[in-house]
Amino acid sequence: MSEERKIPYKIYLEEDEMPKAWYNVRSAMKNKPAPLLNPATHQPMTAEELGGVFCSDLVAQELDNDSAFIEIPQEIREFYKMYRPSPLVRAYYLEEKLGTPAEIYYKFEGNNTSGSHKLNSAIAQAYYAKKQGLKGVTTETGAGQWGTALSMACSYFGLDCKVYMVKVSYEQKPFRREVMRVYGASVTPSPSMSTQVGKKINAEHPGTTGSLGCAISEAVEDAVTHEGYRYVLGSVLNQVLLHQSVIGLETKIALDKYGIKPDMIIGCAGGGSNLGGLISPFMGEKLRGEADYDIIAVEPASCPSFTRGKYAYDFCDTGMVCPLAKMYTLGADFIPSANHAGGLRYHGMSPVLSQLYDDGLMRAVSVEQTKVFEAAETFARVEGILPAPESSHAIRVAIDEALKCKETGEKKTIVFGLTGTGYFDLVAYEKFHNGQMSDYIPTDEELAQYASRLPKVD
Amino acid sequence: MSEERKIPYKIYLEEDEMPKAWYNVRSAMKNKPAPLLNPATHQPMTAEELGGVFCSDLVAQELDNDSAFIEIPQEIREFYKMYRPSPLVRAYYLEEKLGTPAEIYYKFEGNNTSGSHKLNSAIAQAYYAKKQGLKGVTTETGAGQWGTALSMACSYFGLDCKVYMVKVSYEQKPFRREVMRVYGASVTPSPSMSTQVGKKINAEHPGTTGSLGCAISEAVEDAVTHEGYRYVLGSVLNQVLLHQSVIGLETKIALDKYGIKPDMIIGCAGGGSNLGGLISPFMGEKLRGEADYDIIAVEPASCPSFTRGKYAYDFCDTGMVCPLAKMYTLGADFIPSANHAGGLRYHGMSPVLSQLYDDGLMRAVSVEQTKVFEAAETFARVEGILPAPESSHAIRVAIDEALKCKETGEKKTIVFGLTGTGYFDLVAYEKFHNGQMSDYIPTDEELAQYASRLPKVD
């Protein structure tokens, strides 16, 4: 490893090379993502209807399937400079460890206090809320990365931030809760007794430790019943993928700078925010027939929405107060087995990615968590960074693909998204070390049960 | 904040701008730091004696008061590229928040999995151990940053790593322990029953939760009683300050690149590793009369070695197995009050910094921890980064100095060291939020008691 190298270990863009506009991959899609539907009428949600829940500029972004680029407001670009550009790292040490001819790069989004890429959209959503003169925003958080990101963004713009945190996480991750408090957010365990939907769920399921779908319902209710508040969401939505395109744009600029052309782009997929952002500009080229890339979504075998879900309209939340979205879904009441660690536990998937997947423009693989943590540890030991369990799904498949190259002798260029750090996931690492981590793959019968409760939409 | 700025928010050096040699500030000192003494004979430790405890190349560095520059071996420079250069950040948002005419910069060392600057010396010490053909190294850790850094470094070079972790931290910080296990280190709570000194301390103080000085004794005993092992230390020693000079060198290169000349350089000081590293090249200029800088060490009011300690020979550890060092010290059995949060709890101070301080080349201030956490939160909310409690001591004084500038209208340029992140310190943040954090300043009588037990050295 001591020879001088043409490609540096880390590629950082200069401030003036950073993207000035987000890229909207929907503009290049022939088959646009299906519209959100009003859950009562099953008609497409109008801008006016959506405006009751979301900020108006974000509604416009949500519905805009045509603009290729949307300018990043100066205020957001200023904030991005606090933690961006994120480095594109050449995984020299991992390549050496694997003995692969493949060249591996990863885009590392964990160098900020939220510990993940979530901040990219949080700051955008907070900005538009502020611009609209709102008092504050509400949201849900599971593992806590999104809640932390939003609390940081709201603190920056002086907005009130109300976070409904899945009760089991609230209790098991007091540190995440505490970070949000540093940034001035109020954090409520969900289901709570302060919303109608929370009371109802608590009454029907006494002692429940909550779910993401339930926390979403509470956050939405809180927003629509309080003057000057709107709801914000950290994944799934079109607007979120738009903001997250900054990941892919920076990646592409960095690769282009060194004349590197990836063969394969890999990302973990829960709701799709990271993967959708990472692949956006590359998928744009693919859709326009300018380039071809093997794009892989990696999901947990215990929450396999792409690989074993249905492509259908479904509720985004448990309380069924949100619009219906057409997506690959396991059913709105699906909750991964209790032994599932980390995020990537949402029952559905971004409508944009769902359409692209259905059109055969990307593929998906599912992996079991013990294999994921093995990959995480291998990676940590050679590349230094302790990865988040979510990100480690992408690491697992990047390693598997690099090992295939070792067998075939192919010198593929692999890019994957390293979405965040695992500093708040050490309970899961401990389980892994102590041999207490197990895998659970839902049976076909279980999945069929959940799917049987999908709403009927013509 | 929207106008274009001449100085970017973050200054990153290119790989080829990174330092190729460490700077040895001792070379410029007229009064050299006092030598380490053999605790039995009170004679200066010879290279041979030190070689029983430390790797031979590190002994040479420890004793070298003359070489101005010592080349950084290529293998270490390769590792540095995994997480360096660290950014020098212009604190535009903090300046704006304070409304100060001062210009504030901070060198941020927290963007790596150890969460601090400790990795800079850990990788160097592991490298020389490997080069010497050793099997492994032993060390102690308190809060866990140093132990984590060393376990990462040992994992990289395939060395065995044995960490004695202060028992109270071992129990209260299971996450830190778990990170070390990810990197393959063995972690033993100290005092343990596996060393003579541990057994003795346990017998004399049943139920003790340990101290740094005690863990050092255990680690040293483990190293000297096992073939192929040496002891390594994360602070205080001359060699550590040498390795940490990479912080100051990068800072200076970045500042020079933009023609910025600091008036004031501020760093937190526990054993002195960060501060010593940060100021090295600047102190070199000051010693040579080429420039003047106001250099400030910040320490906790609850562990005030500079501001209220004696400049005297003292033991480095509780078990008194280590050499004697001449330093500002509170006495080897001093332990900060139980309400003291975070690091910066060592009873002594780097002999290099002690000599520089005694010669009037730098000053020191002490601050109370509630004021420190106030500064930490202010900083986190505007600059995004959640700082370590240790680093927040420097933030406190940087803010205080910037507010003085606001009063006087002076446009001083302030540089401070942001040594790490506070992701593993959220118990302390929680105490602060809940109003449960208190301050304790040792009385003169208490300090006199500890000082009365200093060894007599002619």
Side-chain angles (χ1 to χ4, degrees), chain A residues 113 152 178-179 182-183 424, chain B residues 108 376 379-380 384-388 420-424 426 429:
Chain A
T113 291
M152 291 172 69
E178 213 48 47
V179 180
V182 168
Y183 291 94
F424 292 90
Chain B
F108 178 44
F379 181 84
I385 299 165
L386 184 78
T421 51
Y423 305 144
F424 293 89
L426 285 155
Y429 273 99

Side-chain angles (χ1 to χ4, degrees), chain B residues 36-81:
Chain B
L36 297 171
L37 299 188
N38 183 313
T41 65
H42 290 191
Q43 292 303 303
M45 292 285 285
T46 63
E48 203 186 333
E49 287 172 323
L50 286 169
V53 181
F54 300 117
C55 307
S56 49
D57 281 323
L58 293 169
V59 169
Q61 292 178 1
E62 190 65 27
L63 297 176
D64 185 346
N65 285 339
D66 303 312
S67 309
F69 288 95
I70 292 175
E71 199 194 329
I72 307 175
Q74 176 68 22
E75 290 85 345
I76 298 174
R77 287 168 49 205
E78 283 300 317
F79 188 89
Y80 277 170
K81 288 180 193 169

Side-chain angles (χ1 to χ4, degrees), chain A residues 219-458:
Chain A
V220 171
E221 182 187 317
D222 188 333
V224 299
T225 55
H226 288 91
E227 183 73 26
Y229 282 80
R230 291 294 185 283
Y231 168 70
V232 297
L233 181 64
S235 192
V236 183
L237 296 175
N238 299 342
Q239 59 188 268
V240 176
L241 266 70
L242 175 73
H243 306 147
Q244 295 293 358
S245 70
V246 70
I247 305 172
L249 291 164
E250 280 187 11
T251 303
K252 190 151 179 10
I253 294 166
L255 290 172
D256 286 350
K257 202 168 160 177
Y258 287 90
I260 304 157
K261 211 171 139 36
D263 297 298
M264 195 171 265
I265 304 169
I266 301 168
C268 62
S273 68
N274 155 67
L275 180 68
L278 175 64
I279 67 172
S280 279
F282 302 97
M283 185 58 88
E285 289 185 302
K286 187 165 176 170
L287 286 160
R288 291 190 303 270
E290 295 164 8
D292 195 18
Y293 303 102
D294 184 9
I295 294 174
I296 309 177
V298 189
E299 60 185 16
S302 53
C303 189
S305 31
F306 263 143
T307 50
R308 297 176 69 200
K310 305 273 180 218
Y311 189 36
Y313 268 104
D314 194 9
F315 292 99
C316 294
D317 63 325
T318 312
M320 305 180 181
V321 298
C322 290
L324 298 172
K326 189 176 180 190
M327 54 188 178
Y328 276 83
T329 179
L330 298 164
D333 55 353
F334 176 86
I335 295 179
S337 145
N339 74 354
H340 174 98
L344 309 183
R345 50 172 61 248
Y346 188 63
H347 66 275
M349 185 55 70
S350 143
V352 169
L353 292 185
S354 292
Q355 185 62 49
L356 291 168
Y357 180 68
D358 203 57
D359 287 341
L361 290 153
M362 51 184 283
R363 58 192 177 103
V365 296
S366 72
V367 288
E368 293 174 32
Q369 66 180 355
T370 48
K371 298 282 177 197
V372 166
F373 276 83
E374 274 171 28
E377 195 159 277
T378 299
F379 180 84
R381 290 189 179 190
V382 292
E383 291 288 324
I385 299 165
L386 184 78
E390 299 83 32
S391 325
S392 305
H393 286 71
I395 297 174
R396 174 74 269 167
V397 172
I399 289 178
D400 291 344
E401 292 292 336
L403 290 175
K404 281 184 205 163
C405 287
K406 188 177 178 178
E407 279 184 24
T408 62
E410 284 175 290
K411 200 180 161 177
K412 285 190 182 172
T413 298
I414 299 171
V415 173
F416 73 89
L418 189 71
T419 55
T421 51
Y423 305 144
F424 292 90
D425 300 287
L426 285 155
V427 170
Y429 274 98
E430 189 174 12
K431 271 193 181 166
F432 173 68
H433 286 138
N434 294 345
Q436 294 160 339
M437 179 169 278
S438 57
D439 295 307
Y440 181 75
I441 304 179
T443 63
D444 289 340
E445 290 68 32
E446 280 175 90
L447 293 183
Q449 277 240 329
Y450 288 113
S452 71
R453 293 192 287 273
L454 285 171
K456 309 279 172 273
V457 178
D458 301 321

Side-chain angles (χ1 to χ4, degrees), chain A residues 1-2 5 8-10 12 14-15 74 78-79 81-84 93 111-113 152 155-156 175 177-179 181-184 377 380-386 423-424 426-427 429-430 433-434, chain B residues 1-2 5 8-10 12 14-15 74 78-79 81-84 93 111-113 152 155-156 175 177-179 181-184 377 380-386 423-424 426-427 429-430 433-434:
Chain A
M1 291 301 284
S2 59
R5 299 180 300 227
Y9 184 72
K10 285 183 293 185
Y12 277 110
E14 300 289 331
E15 268 185 23
Q74 176 67 25
E78 283 300 317
F79 188 89
K81 287 179 195 171
M82 283 173 58
Y83 68 101
R84 309 199 67 80
Y93 304 102
N111 273 349
N112 70 74
T113 291
M152 291 172 69
S155 161
Y156 183 75
F175 290 176
R177 184 182 76 203
E178 213 48 47
V179 180
R181 285 177 75 194
V182 168
Y183 291 94
E377 195 159 277
R381 290 189 179 190
V382 292
E383 291 288 324
I385 299 165
L386 184 78
Y423 305 144
F424 292 90
L426 285 155
V427 170
Y429 274 98
E430 189 174 12
H433 286 138
N434 294 345
Chain B
M1 291 302 283
S2 59
R5 299 179 299 228
Y9 183 72
K10 284 182 293 184
Y12 276 110
E14 300 289 330
E15 267 185 23
Q74 176 68 22
E78 283 300 317
F79 188 89
K81 288 180 193 169
M82 283 173 58
Y83 68 101
R84 308 199 67 81
Y93 304 102
N111 273 347
N112 69 74
T113 290
M152 291 171 70
S155 161
Y156 183 75
F175 290 175
R177 184 182 75 203
E178 213 48 47
V179 180
R181 286 178 75 193
V182 169
Y183 291 94
E377 195 159 279
R381 290 189 179 190
V382 292
E383 291 288 322
I385 299 165
L386 184 78
Y423 305 144
F424 293 89
L426 285 155
V427 170
Y429 273 99
E430 188 173 13
H433 287 139
N434 295 345

Side-chain angles (χ1 to χ4, degrees), chain B residues 60-381:
Chain B
Q61 292 178 1
E62 190 65 27
L63 297 176
D64 185 346
N65 285 339
D66 303 312
S67 309
F69 288 95
I70 292 175
E71 199 194 329
I72 307 175
Q74 176 68 22
E75 290 85 345
I76 298 174
R77 287 168 49 205
E78 283 300 317
F79 188 89
Y80 277 170
K81 288 180 193 169
M82 283 173 58
Y83 68 101
R84 308 199 67 81
S86 70
L88 180 71
V89 186
R90 171 74 183 269
Y92 283 114
Y93 304 102
L94 181 61
E95 292 171 18
E96 195 182 14
K97 167 85 181 169
L98 301 175
T100 178
E103 295 183 357
I104 309 174
Y105 294 83
Y106 56 92
K107 179 72 169 167
F108 178 44
E109 292 287 318
N111 273 347
N112 69 74
T113 290
S114 81
S116 82
H117 66 292
K118 295 285 184 183
L119 202 46
N120 300 330
S121 184
I123 192 63
Q125 297 193 47
Y127 166 78
Y128 291 113
K130 183 73 180 177
K131 189 180 160 207
Q132 194 170 326
L134 297 179
K135 285 186 209 155
V137 293
T138 71
T139 199
E140 79 295 332
T141 200
Q145 290 172 334
W146 166 248
T148 309
L150 190 68
S151 64
M152 291 171 70
C154 286
S155 161
Y156 183 75
F157 283 123
L159 284 168
D160 189 27
C161 179
K162 300 199 234 177
V163 181
Y164 288 86
M165 187 170 187
V166 177
K167 196 178 270 175
V168 61
S169 298
Y170 182 89
E171 284 161 2
Q172 289 181 359
K173 297 200 165 188
F175 290 175
R176 277 282 186 200
R177 184 182 75 203
E178 213 48 47
V179 180
M180 290 183 252
R181 286 178 75 193
V182 169
Y183 291 94
S186 74
V187 188
T188 306
S190 167
S192 75
M193 292 304 278
S194 54
T195 65
Q196 293 307 317
V197 66
K199 282 178 199 163
K200 185 162 173 278
I201 292 170
N202 270 317
E204 284 170 9
H205 307 277
T208 176
T209 53
S211 74
L212 213 46
C214 163
I216 295 175
S217 302
E218 287 207 272
V220 171
E221 181 186 317
D222 189 332
V224 298
T225 55
H226 288 90
E227 182 73 26
Y229 283 80
R230 291 293 184 282
Y231 168 70
V232 297
L233 181 64
S235 193
V236 182
L237 296 175
N238 299 343
Q239 59 187 269
V240 176
L241 265 70
L242 176 72
H243 307 147
Q244 295 294 359
S245 71
V246 69
I247 305 173
L249 290 165
E250 280 187 11
T251 303
K252 186 144 181 16
I253 294 166
L255 290 172
D256 287 350
K257 203 167 160 178
Y258 288 90
I260 305 157
K261 211 170 140 36
D263 297 298
M264 195 172 265
I265 304 169
I266 302 168
C268 63
S273 67
N274 156 67
L275 180 69
L278 175 64
I279 67 173
S280 279
F282 302 97
M283 184 59 86
E285 290 185 302
K286 187 166 175 168
L287 286 160
R288 291 190 301 272
E290 296 165 8
D292 195 19
Y293 303 103
D294 184 9
I295 294 174
I296 309 176
V298 190
E299 61 184 15
S302 53
C303 188
S305 31
F306 263 142
T307 50
R308 297 176 69 202
K310 306 271 181 219
Y311 188 36
Y313 268 104
D314 194 8
F315 292 99
C316 295
D317 63 326
T318 311
M320 305 181 181
V321 298
C322 290
L324 298 172
K326 190 176 179 191
M327 53 186 180
Y328 276 84
T329 178
L330 298 165
D333 56 352
F334 176 86
I335 295 179
S337 144
N339 75 353
H340 174 98
L344 309 183
R345 51 173 59 247
Y346 188 62
H347 66 275
M349 185 55 70
S350 144
V352 169
L353 293 184
S354 293
Q355 186 61 50
L356 291 168
Y357 180 67
D358 203 57
D359 287 341
L361 288 154
M362 52 184 284
R363 58 191 178 105
V365 297
S366 72
V367 288
E368 294 174 33
Q369 66 179 354
T370 48
K371 298 283 177 197
V372 166
F373 276 83
E374 273 171 27
E377 195 159 279
T378 299
F379 181 84
R381 290 189 179 190

